[in-house]
Amino acid sequence: MGTSKIKKHAEQQANPMNLEEIELEEQEAISPWKDTFKRLRKNRFAIIGFTIILFFILLGLLAPVLSSYTYEEQNLANRLHPPSEEYWLGADHIGRDIFTRIAYGARVSLQVGFFAVTGALVFGTLLGILAGYFGRWIDMLISRIFDILLAFPSILLAIAIVAILGPSLENALIAIAIVNIPIFGRLVRSKVISLREEEYIMAAKAQGMKSGRILFHHILPNSIAPIIVQATLSFGTAILEAAALGFLGLGVQPPTPEWGQMLADSRDFIQLAPWTLFAPGISIMLVVLGFNLIGDGLRDALDPKMKH
Amino acid sequence: MQRPLLEVKSLKKYFPIKSGILGRKVGHVKAVDDVSFTVNKGEILGIVGESGCGKSTTGKSILRLIEPTEGEITFNGQDITKLNTEELRKLRRDMQIIFQDPYASLNPRHTVEKIIGEPLLVHGMTSKVERSSRVKELLEVVGLSSYHASRYPHQFSGGQRQRIGIARALANNPQLIICDEPVSALDVSVQSQILNLMEKLRDEYHLTYLFIAHDLSVVKHISDRVGVMYLGRMVELTTKDKLYEEPKHPYTQALLSAVPDPDPDIKKERIILKGDVPSPENPPTGCAFHTRCPHAMDICKQKRPEFQAVENYHFVACHLYQDGVQ
């Protein structure tokens, strides 16, 4: 104690202008988002993830250009044709080009992922904010609904919802969104509860701000980081769930190509023509991997304190 | 004599202690237990006490950031405990707060411009240009530069952040500012700068401060009057000079004797208190201080001493000075 005081005194003597008052230079404003982006760019795995996803997005978008077939064009003479110059990834059991179907299937999968995650994110976040900020019986009600939803195995719940609504792409999408709502809801709720006690939230209240402003200008921007990470990770699971529903014939209806459904169709030919399984299987794996890599990268970039 | 700006009458804040899965109430923490005082316009009233004695809770209850359990808080002749949410929200323009921790009290995702400009916006200054020029003016007033407006809190030092907090409190020209240990988180060298700034602002803008601190020398430096709190109660309240020259309450005497003197040759008699501060969950009967008081009498265990004037402007809650006993 004593020595540190003396030291401080000496420092002040040597430095009559106080340290605090010395302006180092006109630094630029460093926004937390810019900072995150910078860190993300340095993360090699995240870049790999982005590349994979970008690849599939382009594949989906450019499907008509890349392939001379259509996804429903059958050529029974070439059933189960192995990969060749003509059929890049082979042909399936009724002679459709697998590469074309994978490319068109990318559209479906990414669409399902995007809309299901967006739906789950919007509703989950709103419910989570209400539960976390207002607490009491509102929290009780919303949290118990989440508990009920989480008590079902997610795929079983999705099957039940699709069974009620009828099998189609839209209904599969709705089912997957509903299954994912409590995941976002609980995450946001816990974040809001911890943020509610922050001093700057009390400061906002002391300034005379209304609840709506405090929620959407102060609490939400500070809880967005874990939401983004969860959204990227959920993108992967949503695609997996869509594939599972497709595999069971509850998703997209034929002839629209869907990876899960393609797997189901080729299951009987696993020994005869394994390539019919490889292409959709590897595609699903790669897309999910890509989103998980991005999610992990984002988590590190958004919260540098967590690392190490 | 003019009416005081703020009058606090028997303010109480009890926090319930819940236990078990049903959240049954099993007791109360009496954080603030029957505290009364007034703050006159233009003065700086210091409140000192150990950590956990309820100073901050008192400050935050006055602003109703923590809902008081009981008591009257009259600000400008208006009992603010009876205001509804919207009336209270409007009143917040006139009573502000500076927080203890400048690292926690500024939203990390907002620029300084937004932090200082937001209170202006919510109280009706809708023009962006007007707000921006007011923010720049405020930054200059607190000793920062206008180009700091576009930066984020993490780009500033502790002292600079506290200046931002002060600018935010000043934004709507309040009458009263509650300063909740505004310098205790800062370096000693920066403390005096912030204190001087606050004094300067008080003179320039005719502000009134309720200055909460645990550092006796800080309070001595800035206050006009000082109140001493112990275990949720106000034990002594008087002018700064009287309190530091001739403290009456045994607790104040002990507290002051613990302040180190810069002159090593001066022999001081230190009053060492025995034991710890009792739990506010179950405070001692009678005078809360009797368990540690060197002058404790029988009556101290039975009857809670009243907080009353023993001399002009000198209030003490101690049986030593109550009528008849002296």
Side-chain angles (χ1 to χ4, degrees), chain A residues 8 13 25 27 91 97 120 168 175 189-190 223 225 253 260 280 290:
Chain A
K8 193 161 268 165
Q13 296 256 304
E25 71 214 73
Q27 317 167 253
D97 179 41
S168 76
R189 173 181 171 270
S190 69
S223 40
Q253 295 306 300

Side-chain angles (χ1 to χ4, degrees), chain B residues 110-141:
Chain B
H110 286 180
T111 59
V112 171
E113 168 131 28
K114 173 138 189 181
I115 289 171
I116 304 176
E118 223 179 358
L120 296 168
L121 176 69
V122 297
H123 289 293
M125 196 189 273
T126 42
S127 144
K128 200 169 174 184
V129 184
E130 233 178 291
R131 277 209 308 275
S132 169
S133 77
R134 173 81 177 132
V135 167
K136 294 199 165 122
E137 182 194 330
L138 283 162
L139 282 173
E140 307 271 351
V141 164

Side-chain angles (χ1 to χ4, degrees), chain B residues 187-205:
Chain B
D187 270 1
V188 180
S189 54
V190 181
Q191 281 189 0
S192 61
Q193 295 172 10
I194 298 291
L195 288 174
N196 291 339
L197 170 71
M198 292 179 67
E199 274 189 314
K200 190 191 94 185
L201 294 174
R202 195 261 309 241
D203 297 338
E204 264 172 52
Y205 298 98

Side-chain angles (χ1 to χ4, degrees), chain A residues 12 18 20-21 23 27-32 200 203 205-210 213 217-218 221-222, chain B residues 89 92 96 99 104 107 109-110 114 118 121 123 147-148 150-152 154-155 159-160 163 189 193:
Chain A
Q12 267 179 331
N18 199 289
E20 195 218 352
E21 298 299 334
E23 197 51 62
Q27 317 167 253
E28 242 187 280
I30 305 169
S31 98
Y200 58 83
K205 204 172 146 199
Q207 306 304 320
M209 291 175 204
K210 292 179 187 164
R213 174 169 277 274
H217 286 245
H218 293 262
N222 280 291
Chain B
R89 201 181 71 76
R92 297 211 184 277
Q96 272 305 322
F99 288 95
N107 191 331
R109 298 223 168 246
H110 286 180
K114 173 138 189 181
E118 223 179 358
L121 176 69
H123 289 293
Y147 64 81
H148 285 133
S150 60
R151 295 195 192 166
Y152 288 84
H154 68 95
Q155 294 175 285
Q160 289 173 320
R163 286 171 195 264
S189 54
Q193 295 172 10

Side-chain angles (χ1 to χ4, degrees), chain B residues 47 99 102 113 120 126 136 156-157 223 231 247 272 304 317:
Chain B
I47 292 187
F99 288 95
E113 168 131 28
L120 296 168
T126 42
K136 294 199 165 122
F156 294 92
S157 69
S223 307
L231 215 64
I272 310 277
R304 180 164 168 177

Side-chain angles (χ1 to χ4, degrees), chain A:
Chain A
M1 266 301 277
T3 48
S4 79
K5 238 177 205 166
I6 292 166
K7 233 189 227 163
K8 193 161 268 165
H9 191 67
E11 250 169 45
Q12 267 179 331
Q13 296 256 304
N15 220 337
M17 272 252 284
N18 199 289
L19 282 172
E20 195 218 352
E21 298 299 334
I22 300 173
E23 197 51 62
L24 292 169
E25 71 214 73
E26 292 221 10
Q27 317 167 253
E28 242 187 280
I30 305 169
S31 98
W33 292 119
K34 242 192 239 166
D35 218 25
T36 301
F37 185 66
K38 233 195 230 160
R39 274 194 299 271
L40 194 61
R41 264 198 332 207
K42 282 192 200 137
N43 188 325
R44 204 176 310 144
F45 286 111
I47 297 299
I48 294 175
F50 274 117
T51 316
I52 294 173
I53 301 308
L54 197 67
F55 170 77
F56 278 98
I57 290 174
L58 289 176
L59 191 66
L61 286 176
L62 301 177
V65 185
L66 290 171
S67 153
S68 50
Y69 301 95
T70 66
Y71 60 80
E72 46 190 344
E73 198 177 317
Q74 302 177 11
N75 189 342
L76 291 172
N78 289 330
R79 322 178 45 219
L80 303 176
H81 195 286
S84 67
E85 235 171 89
E86 207 179 336
Y87 296 107
W88 290 355
L89 297 174
D92 69 2
H93 61 292
I94 45 176
R96 295 177 295 193
D97 179 41
I98 293 180
F99 174 75
T100 312
R101 289 179 65 76
I102 291 285
Y104 281 98
R107 290 183 175 187
V108 175
S109 284
L110 293 173
Q111 232 178 318
V112 168
F114 182 78
F115 287 110
V117 168
T118 310
L121 187 146
V122 169
F123 286 103
T125 303
L126 277 177
L127 289 171
I129 280 184
L130 289 178
Y133 191 71
F134 293 106
R136 303 209 283 191
W137 66 268
I138 300 178
D139 182 24
M140 199 65 173
L141 182 75
I142 294 174
S143 293
R144 290 304 82 78
I145 294 174
F146 288 166
D147 286 347
I148 292 169
L149 286 175
L150 284 170
F152 292 101
S154 61
I155 194 69
L156 203 65
L157 184 61
I159 290 170
I161 296 168
V162 173
I164 295 168
L165 298 174
S168 76
L169 175 62
E170 291 78 39
N171 293 343
L173 221 145
I174 292 170
I176 295 166
I178 292 176
V179 166
N180 280 296
I181 284 176
I183 295 171
F184 285 95
R186 296 231 296 196
L187 178 79
V188 173
R189 173 181 171 270
S190 69
K191 189 74 194 168
V192 170
I193 286 175
S194 72
L195 282 174
R196 203 175 54 180
E197 305 300 322
E198 286 284 339
E199 209 162 60
Y200 58 83
I201 300 301
M202 189 180 261
K205 204 172 146 199
Q207 306 304 320
M209 291 175 204
K210 292 179 187 164
S211 295
R213 174 169 277 274
I214 293 178
L215 274 176
F216 290 104
H217 286 245
H218 293 262
I219 291 182
L220 193 58
N222 280 291
S223 40
I224 211 94
I227 298 178
I228 292 178
V229 174
Q230 184 58 50
T232 353
L233 297 174
S234 286
F235 224 106
T237 42
I239 288 172
L240 266 183
E241 277 158 6
L245 286 177
F247 187 85
L248 297 169
L250 293 169
V252 184
Q253 295 306 300
T256 314
E258 204 272 334
W259 295 342
Q261 195 193 43
M262 288 168 74
L263 273 181
D265 289 345
S266 11
R267 165 179 65 159
D268 298 334
F269 311 102
I270 187 162
Q271 283 178 323
L272 211 60
W275 56 88
T276 54
L277 281 154
F278 285 162
I282 290 173
S283 299
I284 294 172
M285 191 212 83
L286 279 180
V287 171
V288 175
L289 176 73
F291 279 114
N292 283 345
L293 288 178
I294 296 175
D296 283 344
L298 273 173
R299 178 167 41 213
D300 292 345
L302 286 166
D303 194 357
K305 275 171 276 173
M306 289 254 299
K307 230 170 146 189
H308 312 305

